[in-house]
Amino acid sequence: MMRAKDFADELVSAGFDFFTGVPCSIIGNLILELTARPDIAYVPAVREDVAVGIAGGAYMAGKKPVVLMQNSGLGQCLNALTSLNLIYELPCLLVVTWRGFEGKDAPEHIVMGETCDRILDTIGIVHHTLSGDNVKELIKESFTHIIEKKTPTALFLKKGIIE
């Protein structure tokens, strides 16, 4: 299991310098780490679509944003992603916790857990799933993708990958 600090370091060393999002227990330590760092900004959001909008503004101000959210938040921000980010080429990295993965979670997470990757396929957002040994590679690859293609990219984060 990777330390939250090391995960944050990988994001920052890849070039990401602005963070926003909505809490989830899987990324609680990561959010604590990001809020404590003096070298980056973390802006908490009240909803996932608000976080996507904040990230869009940060990108227009020259930042390379990351949006942290639970996969249930994908449903909340689909309109923002499709009518803002994809149309106006406002890239961001979406770090999405994968609640309900393989049907193992509280009942309210099961449906989104079974469909969240297909939802992103449907709207054409590239996504990958983090494991213990591909974090560094996928973060760097995602940074390159959002800079070159100017579209959001998502990294799914299952429970147990970071502390």
Side-chain angles (χ1 to χ4, degrees):
M1 184 178 297
M2 184 176 215
R3 295 182 322 151
K5 180 188 181 316
D6 295 337
F7 190 86
D9 287 345
E10 292 297 337
L11 290 167
V12 172
S13 74
F16 295 105
D17 57 3
F18 183 88
F19 299 83
T20 183
V22 177
C24 168
S25 61
I26 293 174
I27 52 173
N29 289 333
L30 177 59
I31 291 172
L32 288 173
E33 173 64 27
L34 293 170
T35 58
R37 293 180 69 131
D39 58 331
I40 54 97
Y42 177 84
V43 177
V46 294
R47 294 184 351 181
E48 292 80 2
D49 55 343
V50 173
V52 169
I54 291 170
Y59 178 75
M60 288 190 283
K63 297 294 185 182
K64 307 300 183 279
V66 176
V67 177
L68 305 167
M69 71 174 77
Q70 189 178 94
N71 59 347
S72 63
L74 283 175
Q76 187 69 36
C77 67
L78 278 178
N79 187 49
L81 290 168
T82 58
S83 64
L84 179 68
N85 296 74
L86 292 175
I87 291 175
Y88 297 107
E89 299 182 336
L90 299 174
C92 63
L93 175 63
L94 305 168
V95 175
V96 182
T97 60
W98 198 336
R99 302 297 304 261
F101 181 74
E102 296 182 335
K104 299 173 187 166
D105 212 326
E108 66 270 22
H109 298 300
I110 301 304
V111 173
M112 191 55 97
E114 293 172 346
T115 59
C116 59
D117 54 341
R118 288 181 283 150
I119 290 170
L120 291 180
D121 289 338
T122 300
I123 63 172
I125 291 181
V126 172
H127 59 86
H128 304 282
T129 303
L130 295 167
S131 67
D133 58 354
N134 67 5
V135 170
K136 188 173 187 175
E137 172 190 341
L138 287 178
I139 288 173
K140 286 183 178 181
E141 184 179 311
S142 297
F143 184 81
T144 300
H145 180 87
I146 71 164
I147 297 304
E148 290 179 359
K149 304 293 183 185
K150 298 189 184 307
T151 62
T153 297
L155 294 177
F156 285 111
L157 181 63
K158 296 179 284 188
K159 188 174 184 177
I161 303 298
I162 62 172
E163 65 178 8

